Structures are given as C-alpha cells and as structure tokens.
Amino acid sequence: MSQQIQSTFTVERVIAAPPSRVFRAFADFDEKKQWFAGPPDWTQIEASLDFRPGGTEVNIGATPDGDRSEFYAHFYDIVPNERIVYTYEMHHRGVKLSVSLATLELEPEGGGTRVSLTEHGVFLDGHEDPALREEGTRWLFDGLAAYVERVRA
C-alpha cells in the first residue's frame, strides 16, 4: 500500500536588497539560473521559465554520476514585488518524490526584504524526508541572498 507524509514548513530570511530586486531574481530567467541550481558538480540539462499566472517552470539537472533531479512548477498567483504562489513536483532518478504548494512573500524590512516561503508538501511513498526538503530550501535561500546581495543592479 502506498504511503504519504504531509508536511508544512516556513523558511524566512532577511536579504539586504529591496523587494523589487529580490522579486527580479525570481522573475528573470537569466537571474534565476544564477542561484536556483543544484550542487557545484550539477549540470543543467533543461531549464525554462514562463513567469506569469498560468505559466510554468522546468529545471532538470544531473551530477556526473547520473544523479538526475527534475523540478516542474506551475504559477497560480503573482503580485510583483509582493507574492508568488505556485505548485511544483520534484522527481529524483525518475521517481516522483513530492507535490507541493508554495507561497513566497516579500515584505520590506529596514533597508532590505523579509523573504518568507511557506510550503505544504505531500511526500510520496517514503522517497524523501520532509526535513531534507526544508534543508534544501534553506540552502537555496543562502544562494538567493548571496546572489542578490552581490549583484545589486
């Protein structure tokens, strides 16, 4: 019998840049490719971004040993500089790991932006530990912050 684990987590980070700058790092395809990627030895196989309500995103890559990951997203609500609501599936080595609903919120805080991501995930058949997804999301936020704070233009 199949099993599932439902999990909700929130990751927050204050980034030293205005909301418009942080938003652009999500909305602009060339910028997103700079920080939304796998580990250092990861090779991009396929990537696309149609950033609009009803649009989609695909990000597929692999490590040299063939460890392939696939991300497929659908955007439902986008309020520039404020909010992005999307669903996504994660696949690893051809197995669907999870389906998630994510809400990203951007709020001015001091001279920067408080970025909050709340994710409600269904993790399928024991293929992934939700704690690992949260850890991976924190790692991506580290990359986002480093990129946005380094490339201010």
Side-chain angles (χ1 to χ4, degrees):
M1 175 173 219
S2 65
Q3 66 177 35
Q4 64 195 25
I5 298 171
Q6 296 191 32
S7 179
T8 299
F9 64 85
T10 299
V11 174
E12 292 188 330
R13 175 101 184 227
V14 176
I15 297 177
S20 60
R21 177 67 191 101
V22 177
F23 182 82
R24 192 170 79 235
F26 284 90
D28 181 276
F29 184 50
D30 290 330
E31 288 205 27
K32 191 161 187 187
K33 287 190 294 187
Q34 300 301 310
W35 64 269
F36 190 79
D41 63 347
W42 195 75
T43 300
Q44 186 88 57
I45 295 170
E46 180 182 343
S48 63
L49 178 64
D50 179 9
F51 191 74
R52 62 180 175 82
T56 61
E57 180 176 7
V58 173
N59 195 336
I60 301 172
T63 58
D65 63 358
D67 194 10
R68 182 181 170 114
S69 293
E70 302 172 26
F71 170 90
Y72 302 100
H74 182 91
F75 298 102
Y76 287 90
D77 185 62
I78 299 172
V79 178
N81 308 327
E82 294 180 22
R83 180 178 66 232
I84 305 167
V85 179
Y86 59 101
T87 58
Y88 73 94
E89 294 182 11
M90 282 297 301
H91 298 247
H92 185 244
R93 296 180 180 167
V95 175
K96 187 186 299 185
L97 303 178
S98 63
V99 179
S100 296
L101 167 65
T103 303
L104 181 85
E105 297 173 281
L106 307 174
E107 298 177 53
E109 183 166 311
T113 303
R114 176 169 295 279
V115 182
S116 301
L117 177 83
T118 300
E119 181 171 324
H120 308 280
V122 179
F123 296 83
L124 305 168
D125 301 323
H127 296 300
E128 185 176 9
D129 178 350
L132 293 176
R133 178 65 54 81
E134 183 174 348
E135 179 182 321
T137 301
R138 289 182 191 285
W139 181 80
L140 284 171
F141 269 36
D142 290 345
L144 167 66
Y147 173 75
V148 168
E149 291 170 0
R150 184 180 75 251
V151 182
R152 296 194 175 269

